Each structure stands twice: as structure tokens, then as C-alpha cells.
């Protein structure tokens, strides 16, 4: 089968022909129909994660996977799946025994496996997936729209839930969305759905993305290019009546963005980060205490989160902004992501389906 | 001033002329501009509450009050209010010292006073209100639309918050709204705003109200007149894909409705009641345990709740359905409410303003 | 193997010899060493559950199970278990696919199986258990002390967690524990551990049990035999400074006890029920709303709950009160439970181990 | 009256004679009987806060205040207080109107006033306090033991509540307490009371303080002087069975301690900081996301928090470790605090009462 694999860190993916993988008794062989291309793919190639854990090559990348059931392992009950079923892949396969797995947070398992971060991934025609990490979806939904919902459209969903559960959102609150790349567009939509009437303000540097913010439902879009915090606070006040933010979802994660974000965060403010463009939090301590703020890291999403996202997709409540590509465009697309040049999501479409 | 007062339980209100009330140092004299008429007014007149606490007559009814600042007590800072400010009255005036007052739940204070349940109420040209129980509102908002938001449009808001905080709402959940009288119409709207994508199903007996349900944003409207639970479950399944409800807000509160509601409530279901048409919960115990269900009483709303509702109103996110009346129509309106004949809200408009 | 089975509802269990069960690929054959005897066993025999679901006979009862790994199914990894491991059985085996299973609440699965409520149970020398529903425990812990922790010592743990998460417990709160039978003794201990300094008051009719309440750590023990609510409130006030309860865990569940309990429940009070001696909630509605109270059904416990209980047991933080019996005393013990004559827990000890 | 005031930043306090303050209509003149001396006093003198807000001199320091009602303002109801009542002072006097005040978090009010951070403080014989910020206490409790409970014994209480509400504590969790200075000793005690059976590990550099940790109830005490993180993790594993911490309360707050703390924080870990010895958070970002950790600033405590602490004190559930001093020892005591040389709490005792 065709697959795009990383053989050496820092080098482009190699499009090559490899054997179709075998499956275990509890696994399903998924025929990939679409796989989202993510900035994290660029970071993986560039060795961002190597300081924490080094994945041996070759690696088949691609972690936003939609596909079809091609073959079922011996122990998979036929009541659960049938050949030809359309599915999406839940990321974060836990060992099922740890404290986190026991409450469904399999993506936090110390022994977690992620598709696209090891031998099997979605930049290939097939991959084996434990049956319990597949969610069936309606056949009328487009696979290229579903695929990105397993990361770009899943990660901010979980993060917004954290804000909602922290009671950070509501009619008289102002939520800042930082960055309108792959995740930010979904973040704005979920903020509309989950925010209970909160005012949503997008902060971006890219004028084209700022315009898109409005189409996703943002109330205000602020261009922060070369702006001081005071300057931005003035614009915020004019637009919303308050100079600071009650909550922030940061889809960027550079030290500068975090410093900027915390400087705008109000009393009892909540900050959730899903962005990983940097790897340092470097901010003053006193205002965190004095203003009693909270910070949450949020890691991808679990089965329950993805089920909820699929429910929204099935109801037609998610607006998609995708562009399909073929294997031959993969490396250039990853490079464009590396430089922040993609708005919405590029999705590898396999077999033109 | 003109006032409508109850002199004898079970008798109509008497429209009469009484002195304008004096105010204390920390109070404001509010010139009433509009006051909602509530089914609770009928229940108060009929003696529903007498089995719990008997309020001495004469009583000036009217507890959904919007008005203007007419005069300020000596200790009210001029930075806070000015003559002519438009205000709504927060119901539930606590003594400020109990555990519930300390966290803002003044409506739960053991020494609570409610406007409209004692000497002063909104069915009068003026009433004294402690300054801390007033919220300033924009002058462009209509007082007859704001007044009902202090009970009919406040009580379900707090109740829906309880469901949201219990994590009972979300994209793959089905919420039932029981009864589309004064409160139910707002309940549906708040469920849309706070439900995070939940499917909303209204259950009613009145065909006209069922039609209105859709205009408020309900996804499904079920007529339960002479229907068995199984029959209704069938309709529910056809419309939503599931035979039971994940959450219920009950704006009726008769024993029959509660039995019906609990029979439809699913595993891990949440039931919040704000309806008081009956005074008995009489349901099987075992399914509550076996299905691990929760029940919440919800009592009116506090300053914070009303602030949030006012924020929604200011943003134009609430659809109003009101009909204004004069003092001379008060008694007949209360009688219509007594028989469930009002859809939306009737509001006493004072001085034709 | 020896087993105690129900062949006809309403009749005593039959002690008989039956074949050792086969196991599936993902199961473990557990050699039972101890099994608690529960009032629910009496209710099952008496047909209490038949109005909701009728379990076909013969039924092997016994659902509080500790034992040893006797044999492992083909797919159970040897890294997880080894022959001879000491284990306890998590009750509530879900199908692993529903929304409740996905967050670990397998005991709420619509397709749940319970040991002791079907062909296999702990009143037998062996039973098959899915490997994922076993928790390994230290060999120095006594099986007869561990067995009751899987229901009597698990159910109130989950219920107290519900109260704690509802923020119902804390230094200035008074918690009532209703009934000091099998579950109540553990409830008091968990209330000490989880209550954050709350005052704990036990309500009972049995003088001997009231004395035991103190040894479990109760601050106050109130005999409610032939007492009016006012009378009891007076005693409560003398002992705690307040006339009502902030929270209740009800281990009884008769309509009378619930009426009594709700009459004592204060403003913003929380009531959790695990008792099933009756099958009706029949209480006034208005005070629930007016005092804004919450009611929670709590169903047994899940893997996480039982892991936490086992952690407490391993640290020596649970005081046990058990009496071991043999197969020949089973029926008389169940009868004693039926009449509320057991304090602490009777545990069937198999093979004298 | 006698008062200790700061006239110039960086200089010792001046003990001098100044007029007894006037009170407003809603205030009470409190005769101070005891006032705790806090490391924050040293930081205030040293200008730590000046980068955020500069308080004009002269400043009467002292913010942990117990005293007696000496005189009551015109509007204070005699039902609430009487001359001679013993009281403690709730810190954080809000304006009563903001969103935070409305839910009782007056210490977060944008217009907050703190005693000891302006003209009036507890290092004086008298100070005026708004009546609503006083809590009456039993006369049998010692004022020198109560005074520190309004900050050193209040701040960690609120912080531990944050951990408990985040569900970070429980039987199978390990909590780290960083620093056993003024706050840490209380933190350990509250962790025992509120931790639900969690294992408590104190991390300190001072051998004497480490010994005290055990008397407060810590399960493990780890000396971190010149230890690598790996080394400490080894000791942690030997003592608790796990190499990382599930939750941390940091009473230190230096950048080094925070780096050390986060390096030990496990998956889904919760970190609450109340320490302010540094003013920088400078840590890696990726592990926060990957391990999905949460960080909370916690600011002092509110009326409700202090009521709960007073409830614990009245029940005798708090172990005190205080040393009384006179006005003449104030400056040297503050200097000892500046160098971490005080274990437990030094309390200024006024009039030898």
C-alpha cells in the first residue's frame, strides 16, 4: 500500500509502497479515506518532541483519520461493526488499566499509543486500530470533513469544555481565542455553542484569518500585529465594554503569546492552552495569585469528546473549511503549515474518494 | 398612589389609593413602570403558601418589577445610582449575614423578604427597594420586556445553569422542557443558549403553545394530551433517536407531570423543577437509584443570575412574548393564569409608559 | 463445586453441587475465598426486583466477592494477573460501549451484568469474571474484610463522594447518616475521611447500633424510635447548634425515613439515597424548591471507586466489623438481615481460609 | 494609641503614638488583642508590591487581626454585635458591587481594601473595620491563636479547597506540600482534614521544620537540600509507591521551587500556589499539555472560608504553633521572617491580653 513515512528527522516524508499491516484479534483494519494534515506533523518532523520522547523511525505520520472498516479481528463482535462501516479514529489508545483509562481519558495513559506517531498512521492506505477506538459515523458525512474533527476539531472542543466546567463562560463574559489556524476556527464555533452567550474575541496577526473569524461567529476580531497591550485593551474596551478577558483559549502557545494573553487576563480569569508553537511558559507570578487565575493544559480529546463532536457534525452544527490534497502535495502542505500559511485545514484524500 | 392589594385570601385584588411608601437610609424609592403578572400571584391569592407561611394582609402583589429611581436614601452613594436611572428589582432580599447570603444566594436567606409577598410590591406606583437589590439597565430596553425577566425569565435561567453545571447538557443529550407557560418559553431559549448543542423537546398539552415552542427554538414539540408514556417514548425515539430524556426542566410541577417525567428520565438523568402547580413528589424510588438520577429544586434567582439575564437582554438574545395590561385588567388576567390560559407573559404597564 | 442457589422466588437457597464454570478468553476463573451477605440478597429472594426486571432461576447469589485467580483466559495478559493473585470483584460489568461505560460507570450500562444476580455469584466456590473487573489486592489483607468492601463498603463511598462533589460537606456542615446496618457503619467512616470536618450525626432505632456509631467516629447518635421531628430537631440543636441537616446519606430508603429525612433537611441541603428498603418517594414538593434542595440516587460503585476503597483498606484506614459464617448458616443469616438483626457484616468464608 | 508604621520603604517600622481612628456609620472600632506577623509584611516593607501598586506611606502594617468590639457605628444593628464581642477580621474588603463581591469573593474586588496595607492595620491598638467583615468568635478561644488563622491559617485552607473541588485529592492520591513556614503547617493539617485519605508529603530544606511536619500529620517529609529531582523521585517512590505527585500546594513560590514542583507533577496533576517568595513562573510548556495539568493561583480567603476555619478552630481541630511578641520585638521578628527563620507563627500580643 502507499504510505508517507519519516525516515530521518528534519527530512521530507518519503512516499513509498509498504505491506498492508496485519491486525490483532481486537483490532480493525481501517481503509483510510481522508487524513488531516496538522502543524504537529511539521513539529514531529522537526524534532520538537524529541526532547521529551524520541520515536524511532520510520514513522507513518497522519493522526486525523477517517476511513472504512476493511477487515475485522477475530474478537471484534459483528454486532459492533461491519465491513464497509464509515468510522473515525479516536486518538490516544490507552492500555485500559491505568487510573486515567478507567475514567475514559485514554489519551493520558502513561502507556498511550497515538496513530501517526509510530509505525502506523493515516498518511497510508490502511492502518490497524483497536476496535474500541473507532466511532461509527453516518455515510452521508464527508470523510474529508470528518477527519480534521479528530484533532483540529476535537482538541479545542475538550479545551472549551474545561472552560465551561470551570464556569468561565456565560452571558456576561468575554472569551479570547488566540490564533485562527487549524484549531482556532473550530474553537470559535464551539465557543458559540458552549459559551452560553459569551462575547467571543479573536486575536490574530493574519488579516485574512481575521476576516474568517467573523464567518465562524466571532463577535470581535482584533489584529495584534505590532500592537501594545494597552492599545489592544483600548480596542477591547471599545468593542466589549471591558479591558480584560474572562477566559482565553490559546491555540498558539508561543511564550510571547502567553505573556500577551496573561497580561490581558482579568480577575478570576481562566486560561486554557492547546497551542504548542513554543515550549516555555515565562510569566509573572504575582498577578496569577492576586487575580486568582487558573491555567489548564488540555491534551487532545477522548472517546466521549469525539462522540460529542461527531454528534454536532451529524446535526450539521459544524462549519468546515477544508481543502483536499493528494500524497504528492503532502510535503509542501506540511511546509506551508510550518510557516503558518494554511487557513482552515488541508486534508489528504486517498483514492480520490 | 394607586396599588392592587389582597385584603382577604381567595378574594380579588382591590385597586385602591394608598400613601407612597417611606424609604430607609439604604433604600431607593422605585417608580414602577412595568410589573409582570405571574401564576404565583394566583397561588398566593388562593392560599397555596399558607400551609408553609402565612403572610398577613393587606399584601401588595407583583414581584416582576422594572422601574425608575425616584428617590434615594441617605446612605446610597450617588456614584451608584442617579434619579431617573432605569432599574430592575432583584427578588429575594436577604439579611446579608447568613451562609447563603455570603455567597450571593440572598433568595435562600432564612430571613428573606420578597417584593410582592408583603406590604410592598410591583402592582403599585412606587415601592422601596434596598439599593443593593437593584440592577441598572439601558434606557433603550422596554420596561414591559424587562419586568418578566426578573422571575419568568430568571427562574428557568438558574435552573438551566444547574443542569449545565451538573454536566447534564451537551451535543449528544436530549433535554425535555415540560410546560410552555410563562417560564417555559424562556427555558427553551436558555436551553438553546446554554445547552451546548443539546436537542430540545417541549412537552405540552396546549396545541397553540406547542406551535410557539418552535419559534423559541425547540427542536421537537410533543403533545402529551391523553398519551401513554410508551406512546410518547415512541414519538421521542422517532424524533431524536432515543426513548428517554437525559435532562428535564419541569415548569409545571404537578404530581402527574413529575411521574410522567421521571418515567421518561434516562440513566444518569437530571431533573430540575421550578413548577409549583402541585405540592407533592410521589414517584418510585428504585429507578432513581438504579438509574442514578438526580433531582434539583431551583428557587428563583440571585443578583448574579439576573445580571447575566440582563446581559443577554442587552445583547438582544432574548425573544419576548408579552402583552401589556392596565390595573383594571389585573384580576381577570390573574384568573386567566389560574386556568393556564395565558401564553407568554401579561405585564401590568403603569402610566402607559 | 459447592454453590448456594435460588431455585424459586420466596424460598430458601439450595446448597448444592454444580460444575465449575467455563471461562471465556477475556475472563478469569476466580476461586472465591469470601463473600459478603447483603440485605439485597433477601430482597432478591423476596422478589423486590421482579417489578422492574425478573431474573430467571436458578440464580447463584452473592455479590461481595474476594478471591484468588485460579485460571486465566487465553487473552488475559500475564503481565496483568498471575495464578494465586488475590483479587476483589468490581460489580457492574458493562458492555464497554455505552456512554456510561466510556467514563467508567460500567455499573450504569444498560446491558450491565451483576455477579450474584444471575447464573454466577459469590455463594459458590468459583465464578468467571472478566479480567477488567478484577482489582489485585495485597495478600496480607483478610479476604473476609475485603469482600464486604465491594458493596456495603463501596456504595456509601460513592454516595459520600457525590455529597463532597456537590460541596455539601465541610467544617461548618452537619451530615446525617440514616441507618447503621451494613452500609451505615462504612458511611460514618467515609464521612469522617471525606467530610472535611463536618459534624456527623447518626439516626437509628436500634440502641446497640447507636452505640456502635460512636466507635465508627460519629459525633452524635440520635435514637429516633417514637420521636417526633420537632423532638429530634431539639436534640439536634442541643448537640450541634442547628435544627436541620445540611446533608443526608440515607441507608434505609423507606418512605417514612425519607419523609422524616426531608423534614430535617435544611436550606440548600443535599440528600443522597442508597437504601432500598422501600420503593416510594412521597414527599412535599414546595420545600424542595423553596429551600433549593437536591436529591441524588447513587448506584453501587465503579472500578475507580473500588480502587479508592482498596487504597484506604491497604492503608489501614477502614475499621471492619464482620462475622464469618459457613454455607450452612447462609439461609438463617439472610433471614436475620431481612429483619434488620445483623450489625456489621456477615461474610461467607469458603474453605475456612 | 500605639502603632507600628512604615514611613519609608526599606526602613524598619516606627513604633509611635497616633490618634485612635474615627469610624464610619457601618464600621466597628476594633480593639486589637493580637496580630500575626507575616512574611508578607517583610515583602511589603521591601517594596515587593511596588511594581504592581504603590501604597502611600505611612502604612500601619498587620493583617492577621483578632480583637474586641470597642465601639459600633450608627448603622450597625445591635442584634449583630455588642461591645466586648470577640472578633476576627475578614481580610479583603470589597465594594460590594462587582461580580466577585456578589458571590462573596470580596478579596478579589477591583476596589478591594486590605487591613495592614494602608492607613489602618493590626500593628496598632485600634482599627476601624466595616461590620460585615467581622466574624464573632467564642471568648474561650485565644486571640493569639485566632489571629494567624486570618491569613497563614486561611490562605492554605482556600487553596486546599481548590484542590478538593478539582477532585485532585482522595484515597489513592499523593499531595505535596512545599515549604513548612507560616502557611505550610496549616496546609498539612487541612490536607489531613480535606484530603479524603490522600498521602501527604512535605518538601523542605530546613531539618527542624521537617520534623515538625510529622507532628502536623504529614505522612512523609522529604529534605530537598541539594537533591536532584531524580533523587527525590526515588525517595518518593520508596515512601509512597509512586514517583510523582498528583497535587501540589506550593507555599514558597520561587521560580526554582516551581520548576522543581512541576517536574514532579504527574499526569492530570493539579498545582496551587500561595507562595510569593519569587515573582516568576518559568517552566516548560509541553509537559503541561501532554500531562494535562492545571495551575491555580489562590488569593487569601473570603468570609465563607474564614467562617469555616473558625468552625474548625472552635471544634479544636486546628493545632497551633505560635509565639507571642511585643511591639518592641516587631522589627526583629520581621527580619527573622525575611530570612525564613521563623517556624510556626509569631504573633504580636497587645496589652499582654
Amino acid at each position: 500500500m502507499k504510505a508517507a513515512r519519516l525516515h530521518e528527522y528534519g527530512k521530507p516524508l518519503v512516499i513509498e509502497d509498504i505491506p498492508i499491516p496485519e491486525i490483532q484479534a481486537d483490532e480493525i483494519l481501517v481503509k483510510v479515506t481522508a487524513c488531516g494534515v496538522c502543524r504537529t506533523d511539521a513539529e514531529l518532523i522537526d524534532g520538537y518532541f524529541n526532547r521529551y520522547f524520541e520515536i524511532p523511525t520510520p514513522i507513518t505520520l497522519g493522526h486525523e483519520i477517517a476511513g472504512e472498516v476493511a477487515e475485522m479481528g477475530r474478537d471484534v463482535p459483528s454486532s459492533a461493526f461491519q465491513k464497509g462501516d464509515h468510522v473515525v479514529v479516536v486518538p490516544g489508545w490507552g492500555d485500559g488499566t491505568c487510573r486515567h483509562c478507567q475514567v475514559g481519558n485514554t489519551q493520558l495513559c502513561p502507556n498511550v499509543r497515538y496513530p501517526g506517531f509510530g509505525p502506523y498512521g493515516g498518511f497510508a492506505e490502511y492502518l490497524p486500530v483497536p476496535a474500541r477506538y473507532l466511532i461509527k459515523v453516518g455515510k452521508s458525512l464527508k470523510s474529508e470533513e470528518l477527519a480534521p474533527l479528530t484533532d483540529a476539531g476535537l482538541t479545542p472542543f475538550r479545551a472549551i469544555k474545561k472552560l465551561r466546567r470551570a464556569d468561565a463562560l456565560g452571558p456576561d463574559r468575554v472569551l479570547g481565542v488566540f490564533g485562527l489556524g487549524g484549531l482556532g476556527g473550530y474553537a470559535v464555533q464551539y465557543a458559540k455553542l458552549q459559551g452560553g452567550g459569551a462575547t467571543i474575541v479573536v486575536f490574530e496577526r493574519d488579516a485574512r484569518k481575521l476576516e474568517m473569524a467573523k464567518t465562524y461567529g466571532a463577535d470581535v476580531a482584533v489584529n495584534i500585529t505590532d500592537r501594545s497591550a494597552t492599545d489592544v485593551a483600548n480596542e477591547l474596551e471599545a468593542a466589549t465594554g471591558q479591558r480584560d478577558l474572562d477566559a482565553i483559549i490559546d491555540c498558539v502557545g508561543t511564550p510571547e503569546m502567553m505573556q500577551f494573553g496573561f497580561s490581558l487576563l482579568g480577575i478570576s480569569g481562566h486560561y486554557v492552552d492547546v497551542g504548542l508553537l513554543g515550549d516555555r511558559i515565562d510569566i509573572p507570578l504575582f498577578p496569577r495569585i492576586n487575580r486568582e487565575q487558573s491555567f489548564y493544559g488540555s491534551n487532545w480529546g477522548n472517546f466521549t469528546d469525539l462522540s460529542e463532536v461527531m454528534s454536532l457534525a451529524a446535526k450539521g452544527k459544524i462549519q468546515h473549511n477544508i481543502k483536499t490534497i493528494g500524497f504528492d502535495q503532502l510535503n509542501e502542505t506540511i511546509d506551508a503549515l510550518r510557516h503558518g500559511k494554511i487557513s482552515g485545514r488541508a486534508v489528504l484524500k486517498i483514492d480520490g474518494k
Side-chain angles (χ1 to χ4, degrees), chain A:
Chain A
M1 67 173 189
K2 204 187 267 191
R5 300 201 296 178
L6 180 73
H7 283 271
E8 194 180 339
Y9 282 99
K11 295 285 166 72
L13 303 184
V14 179
I15 318 297
E16 55 194 328
D17 202 71
I18 59 169
I20 292 179
E22 305 280 303
I23 56 172
Q24 304 293 316
D26 64 340
E27 291 182 336
I28 280 176
L29 186 69
V30 172
K31 180 168 165 39
V32 180
T33 49
C35 184
V37 189
C38 179
R39 185 149 187 167
T40 306
D41 293 320
E43 293 194 275
L44 172 53
I45 294 169
D46 297 346
Y48 175 95
F49 301 105
N50 289 0
R51 76 197 86 166
Y52 295 106
F53 46 82
E54 189 165 340
I55 305 162
T57 53
I59 303 167
T60 307
L61 278 79
H63 55 268
E64 294 185 337
I65 308 167
E68 294 174 16
V69 172
E71 199 188 315
M72 288 164 59
R74 188 182 65 221
D75 292 349
V76 179
S78 59
S79 59
F81 289 99
Q82 295 198 309
K83 260 193 204 182
D85 278 350
H86 288 203
V87 292
V88 290
V89 178
V90 178
W93 308 343
D95 64 13
T97 69
C98 77
R99 159 156 87 82
H100 310 289
C101 285
Q102 285 295 344
V103 294
N105 283 329
T106 58
Q107 88 280 22
L108 303 182
C109 177
N111 302 315
V112 70
R113 291 180 300 141
Y114 299 123
F117 291 81
Y120 306 117
F123 295 166
E125 289 177 285
Y126 294 91
L127 89 162
V129 179
R132 61 162 303 200
Y133 293 113
L134 289 175
I135 296 177
K136 258 197 281 190
V137 294
K139 294 196 176 180
S140 64
L141 300 168
K142 293 183 187 165
S143 65
E144 62 266 32
E145 291 181 349
L146 294 179
L149 295 181
T150 65
D151 177 6
L154 173 61
T155 301
F157 183 79
R158 182 174 177 88
I160 295 277
K161 270 171 78 172
K162 281 186 191 287
L163 293 180
R164 196 189 55 177
R165 285 179 179 171
D167 220 10
L169 304 176
D172 55 356
R173 306 297 168 89
V174 179
L175 167 70
V177 178
F178 287 10
L180 206 82
L183 282 69
Y186 296 105
V188 171
Q189 297 183 63
Y190 296 143
K192 284 313 258 191
L193 277 163
Q194 308 277 339
T199 299
I200 299 164
V201 185
V202 168
F203 297 82
E204 246 295 349
R205 288 197 157 78
D206 183 320
R208 220 182 58 235
K209 292 181 181 171
L210 281 161
E211 273 197 27
M212 281 175 44
K214 296 298 187 75
T215 73
Y216 290 128
D219 299 292
V220 183
V222 178
N223 192 328
I224 56 174
T225 313
D226 300 327
R227 303 277 295 282
S228 70
T230 306
D231 200 18
V232 167
N234 288 342
E235 181 173 346
L236 191 59
E237 189 172 21
T240 71
Q242 61 182 65
R243 297 182 65 76
D244 47 25
L245 299 167
D246 299 303
I248 289 169
I249 174 168
D250 182 351
C251 305
V252 178
T254 56
E256 299 71 32
M257 191 55 111
M258 298 191 83
Q259 282 155 9
F260 176 78
F262 274 107
S263 77
L264 278 180
L265 191 63
I267 295 171
S268 197
H270 299 262
Y271 193 121
V272 64
D273 181 79
V274 292
L276 279 176
L277 290 195
D279 191 19
R280 203 81 202 162
I281 305 174
D282 182 10
I283 50 175
L285 172 62
F286 178 72
R288 311 293 80 78
I289 308 302
N290 185 241
R291 306 187 137 210
E292 204 167 73
Q293 297 170 341
S294 303
F295 171 82
Y296 312 91
S298 192
N299 184 2
W300 217 328
N302 65 16
F303 190 103
T304 299
D305 299 325
L306 187 53
S307 299
E308 292 176 9
V309 167
M310 285 302 128
S311 174
L312 291 175
K315 291 180 184 177
K317 298 202 175 207
I318 301 180
Q319 181 182 338
H320 307 279
N321 177 17
I322 64 110
K323 183 190 126 187
T324 58
I325 63 163
F327 271 106
D328 54 338
Q329 296 156 286
L330 251 183
N331 279 309
E332 70 196 68
T333 300
I334 289 169
D335 199 54
L337 278 162
R338 187 177 280 121
H339 298 98
K341 296 257 167 72
I342 302 278
S343 60
R345 204 64 163 175
V347 180
L348 174 66
K349 196 79 173 66
I350 298 193
D351 279 348
K353 277 203 191 166

